[in-house]
Amino acid sequence: MSAGQVCVFRHSNVLLVSHVRNVIESAGLSAALRNMTLAGGAGELPPDQCEAEVWVAIEAEWQAGQLVREALDGPSVTTPAWRCAGCGERLDGVFDRCWQCGQARPRDVPG
């Protein structure tokens, strides 16, 4: 363990670990990858010591943890469904544009 840093995510899938690091860094936090090539040591080393990891500064642990949960589970806030003013199509809240006619979600509709 490094002084001033903490592991916020660990997994055997290096692509998932890289994705989590990208999510954290896109939020403006600095993140470091560790153990990216230790999978071949499994068996000789304890399995939990061979998983790829994402590390952040201790001060960023809470925010990074929130970002990890959102990256894995999706956003915690759901956006309400809306109806397109152009064609009347009902759309799930995840859409910013109508898939039927391409009209943008009205500004008065949350999202």
Side-chain angles (χ1 to χ4, degrees), residues 80-101:
W82 58 284
R83 189 163 301 280
C84 177
C87 69
E89 185 70 29
R90 186 181 182 286
L91 300 140
D92 288 332
V94 297
F95 296 105
D96 290 331
R97 293 195 162 279
C98 176
W99 65 268
Q100 183 72 25
C101 70

